Amino acid sequence: RPLSIAGLAILGAALPFLYVEMRRRRRLADFEQQFPEALDFIARAVRAGHAFSVSLELLSQEAPEPVRAEFRHVFHQLNLGASVDKALLDFAHRVPSVDVRFFVSTVLLQRETGGNLAEILMKLAQIIRERFRLKGQVKALSAHGRLTATILTLVPIALLIGLTIVAPEYLPSMARDPLGRILILFALLGQVLGYLCMRWIVNIKV
């Protein structure tokens, strides 16, 4: 019984972290999807004659969330006296995205060597869009694996529901037995770990 309680406590404690991780991933995905448009906006503003910092300010006012919040933070750092290098490096550290690191490296390199920043950002936005197109193709090809993972996870749940309907006393009697509770706990943990492993296998990075 103490083992079952400890296992349930671990599962309960893990749920908030899983929820936060899910929200973090969703926010990062939204940011990466909006990022090419943000680069185009900065490039057009620079091409129109605005300074880089002013372009960031305009973007922080016009862009949708979550891009708006992240670039507003960068602009506030610049407004408070931070250097462009520090603000952008903090931005790259705060947003764990390969595209952001490319953007920061591009801007910092352009500040040292010179060049047409607007044209560079437009090409970078085009490269990011191509990467998203390739990611979509990979996602379509791996759809079978994701469907298999979902079915293999739902089949035991459907079996559990069917067993509860056909033999209502089977699971309660198993839960009353100490060994049965341990088996139920390990079955739940196995379901979660199996689903996560299958999702990890089909989650191909591009």
Side-chain angles (χ1 to χ4, degrees):
R1 184 168 183 172
L3 182 61
S4 301
I5 295 175
L8 293 175
I10 293 173
L11 285 175
L15 287 178
F17 293 98
L18 293 175
Y19 176 75
V20 171
E21 178 64 17
M22 181 184 68
R23 293 296 301 268
R24 187 189 74 87
R25 289 179 179 271
R26 184 177 301 173
R27 178 181 172 86
L28 181 60
D30 292 341
F31 179 91
E32 289 181 334
Q33 187 174 2
Q34 299 168 7
F35 194 53
E37 295 297 329
L39 295 183
D40 284 339
F41 186 96
I42 296 173
R44 289 194 299 268
V46 171
R47 185 171 291 173
H50 295 291
F52 179 69
S53 59
V54 177
S55 303
L56 296 182
E57 180 184 11
L58 294 174
L59 179 62
S60 67
Q61 296 172 355
E62 301 293 336
E65 294 291 349
V67 166
R68 177 189 300 177
E70 295 299 337
F71 278 97
R72 184 187 298 123
H73 191 88
V74 175
F75 174 71
H76 285 170
Q77 282 186 281
L78 295 174
N79 215 22
L80 292 173
S83 65
V84 175
D85 293 14
K86 176 171 175 49
L88 291 179
L89 290 175
D90 288 346
F91 176 43
H93 179 73
R94 192 169 60 252
V95 182
S97 170
V98 176
D99 300 332
V100 172
R101 290 200 293 269
F102 280 146
F103 165 70
V104 171
S105 300
T106 298
V107 175
L108 296 182
L109 184 62
Q110 187 273 339
R111 289 174 59 83
E112 292 182 3
T113 61
N116 191 335
L117 179 61
E119 184 178 352
I120 294 172
L121 292 180
M122 294 285 281
K123 289 183 178 179
L124 179 60
Q126 183 179 358
I127 292 172
I128 294 174
R129 287 192 180 94
E130 287 296 319
R131 192 175 71 85
F132 266 103
R133 186 182 62 81
L134 179 60
K135 184 185 290 187
Q137 293 178 351
V138 171
K139 189 174 182 180
L141 293 174
S142 61
H144 181 269
R146 293 196 305 274
L147 180 62
T148 302
T150 303
I151 292 175
L152 290 177
T153 303
L154 292 179
V155 164
I157 298 175
L159 180 62
L160 175 64
I161 295 173
L163 189 61
T164 303
I165 296 173
V166 174
E169 293 299 323
Y170 181 77
L171 288 177
S173 62
M174 186 177 180
R176 285 191 293 268
D177 184 85
L179 181 59
R181 287 194 292 269
I182 294 175
L183 292 176
I184 292 174
L185 175 62
F186 277 102
L188 293 174
L189 289 174
Q191 280 291 108
V192 174
L193 291 176
Y195 176 76
L196 293 177
C197 287
M198 287 184 288
R199 292 290 296 182
W200 178 75
I201 291 172
V202 298
N203 185 22
I204 302 173
K205 299 293 184 181
V206 179

